[in-house]
Amino acid sequence: MTLTNAFTWEDLPTTSTKGETTMAAMIPRIQKTVKQMLISVMAFHGSYIVVRLVNSEQRVLTANSFYLFDVSSSPVYEVILLSQIMAAAFYMVLFFGMWGLYATLVCIACSQLEKLRANLLDIRQEHKTQEQDSGAETDTEEEEIQVHTSQEVFRRMQGELKDCVRHHQQILRFMKAMEDTLHPVLLGLFFIATGCICLSGFSVVMNWGEVMPMSQAALIYFAMMFFLFAFCRLGEELTHQAKSVRDAVWESNWVGAPVPFQHSLIIINIIASKKFSLTAGKFVPVSNKTMLSIFNQTISFFMFLLKVKEETDHTDHS
């Protein structure tokens, strides 16, 4: 977080030239989104708990669980019930809060990359206009004044390009710190989410035909899939934004610029050509491809369980 002190925010636009919402505009929306999602899931889970407790004639718990002792007698039942409710709330807040922090950090990096790309595109365009205006004003003056004007414009271009290089280095340092800090956390979250998806699919199959248990398991399944999508989509966006710096260098109207200016652009292009991606445990990229792979595997697992249950039911019926 201390690395963000080197970034500036005042001149970040909320919409791009194409009318699209920028990543800078997404930063203040993340907190509101996380809060709304947390309230919605808590409300659904709370309603499920109330309906489950009211409709059951026995002392049931909020989640299907196994204990080595009798939990139906007071006050053990009340303590276990309270602990399950508190644990569910804790896990929701922890998981949603982690996603909010992750999304904020990725949006910070993407917004600075968008700003860097805009600055690279504006360097030559801005000073080319200045040079044309100066040439029009000195059309009747001596050639030495025109050369002096061109040199002054070039020095300004070099100064702004140096600022872009420094900004790029700061962004890369921030992104590397993100990768070093988040890769073990993302690995744990991926394992937890994948395990919850598989167990939810198993719960749906085992409780086939029972509305309430199936609805709870289906909610957990789609919630975990959504969070995997959110993590992977943001990681894919960061990779795309890092790669787009190279495209901005190519589109910066460098043809005809002084050779030292072109050399500096080449250096930025070489650094931006190195692919960057957030990883889970340094070996699984956080990308759309990983998301599709997990989705396909979990669907295959669910269909396998469903087929086994159908065959078992058919055998029992026979």
Side-chain angles (χ1 to χ4, degrees):
M1 295 300 295
T2 57
L3 295 176
T4 61
N5 294 331
F7 300 147
T8 56
W9 312 94
E10 293 78 8
D11 52 349
L12 291 178
T14 57
T15 56
S16 63
T17 55
K18 299 179 180 179
E20 300 174 351
T21 303
T22 62
M23 299 302 290
M26 297 299 296
I27 296 177
R29 299 180 185 180
I30 293 174
Q31 181 179 5
K32 182 178 179 181
T33 302
V34 170
K35 186 183 298 183
Q36 291 176 345
M37 293 171 62
L38 181 60
I39 293 175
S40 300
V41 174
M42 282 188 170
F44 180 88
H45 187 66
S47 302
Y48 168 79
I49 292 175
V50 173
V51 172
R52 182 183 174 92
L53 296 177
V54 170
N55 292 338
S56 178
E57 298 179 356
Q58 300 177 352
R59 287 191 161 189
V60 296
L61 298 174
T62 61
N64 296 328
S65 54
F66 174 77
Y67 293 91
L68 297 176
F69 50 88
D70 183 22
V71 297
S72 60
S73 59
S74 299
V76 177
Y77 172 76
E78 288 77 9
V79 173
I80 296 296
L81 183 65
L82 180 62
S83 67
Q84 287 191 352
I85 295 175
M86 294 178 61
F90 174 78
Y91 295 145
M92 290 178 191
V93 172
L94 183 64
F95 202 86
F96 280 92
M98 178 58 208
W99 180 83
L101 176 61
Y102 168 81
T104 301
L105 294 176
V106 172
C107 287
I108 289 174
C110 290
S111 64
Q112 294 300 316
L113 288 169
E114 289 176 341
K115 179 181 177 181
L116 174 63
R117 187 171 67 251
N119 291 339
L120 287 171
L121 293 174
D122 291 342
I123 289 177
R124 185 87 196 283
Q125 190 67 30
E126 177 184 349
H127 290 291
K128 184 177 180 181
T129 304
Q130 292 180 1
E131 189 174 13
Q132 290 175 351
D133 295 340
S134 300
E137 294 174 357
T138 61
D139 187 37
T140 59
E141 297 180 3
E142 297 180 356
E143 184 178 352
E144 295 180 357
I145 299 179
Q146 295 179 352
V147 173
H148 176 74
T149 302
S150 299
Q151 293 177 350
E152 182 67 24
V153 170
F154 170 66
R155 282 196 293 268
R156 291 181 182 177
M157 290 169 58
Q158 281 291 98
E160 293 192 8
L161 183 58
K162 289 180 180 178
D163 293 337
C164 289
V165 172
R166 296 190 189 97
H167 190 198
H168 192 206
Q169 294 297 323
Q170 292 170 352
I171 297 173
L172 293 177
R173 194 178 303 114
F174 176 72
M175 291 165 57
K176 184 179 183 303
M178 283 179 55
E179 165 65 12
D180 294 340
T181 305
L182 293 178
H183 79 86
V185 180
L186 292 175
L187 179 63
L189 287 174
F190 269 54
F191 272 122
I192 292 173
T194 305
C196 288
I197 290 172
C198 294
L199 292 175
S200 298
F202 179 78
S203 180
V204 169
V205 172
M206 297 303 296
N207 294 281
W208 195 263
E210 301 180 18
V211 178
M212 293 303 297
M214 285 183 61
S215 63
Q216 186 186 39
L219 174 67
I220 296 174
Y221 179 88
F222 287 111
M224 293 298 104
M225 289 299 300
F226 172 78
F227 273 104
L228 280 179
F229 169 78
F231 277 99
C232 293
R233 182 65 187 89
L234 287 170
E236 184 78 16
E237 180 66 22
L238 181 59
T239 302
H240 171 72
Q241 292 288 349
K243 188 188 299 183
S244 65
V245 175
R246 180 186 59 186
D247 300 332
V249 171
W250 178 256
E251 298 171 0
S252 62
N253 194 16
W254 53 270
V255 178
V259 175
F261 185 83
Q262 295 185 11
H263 286 171
S264 299
L265 288 177
I266 291 174
I267 294 175
I268 298 179
N269 191 21
I270 292 174
I271 297 175
S273 297
K274 298 179 180 179
K275 183 179 179 180
F276 174 85
S277 62
L278 292 174
T279 62
K282 293 290 186 179
F283 62 90
V284 178
V286 183
S287 62
N288 291 340
K289 185 177 180 180
T290 302
M291 169 65 190
L292 290 175
S293 177
I294 295 175
F295 179 77
N296 291 333
Q297 292 176 5
T298 54
I299 290 296
S300 300
F301 176 72
F302 175 76
M303 297 304 296
F304 169 76
L305 291 177
L306 192 59
K307 184 175 180 59
V308 170
K309 179 176 176 56
E310 291 178 353
E311 293 179 353
T312 304
D313 293 341
H314 178 72
T315 302
D316 294 341
H317 179 71
S318 301

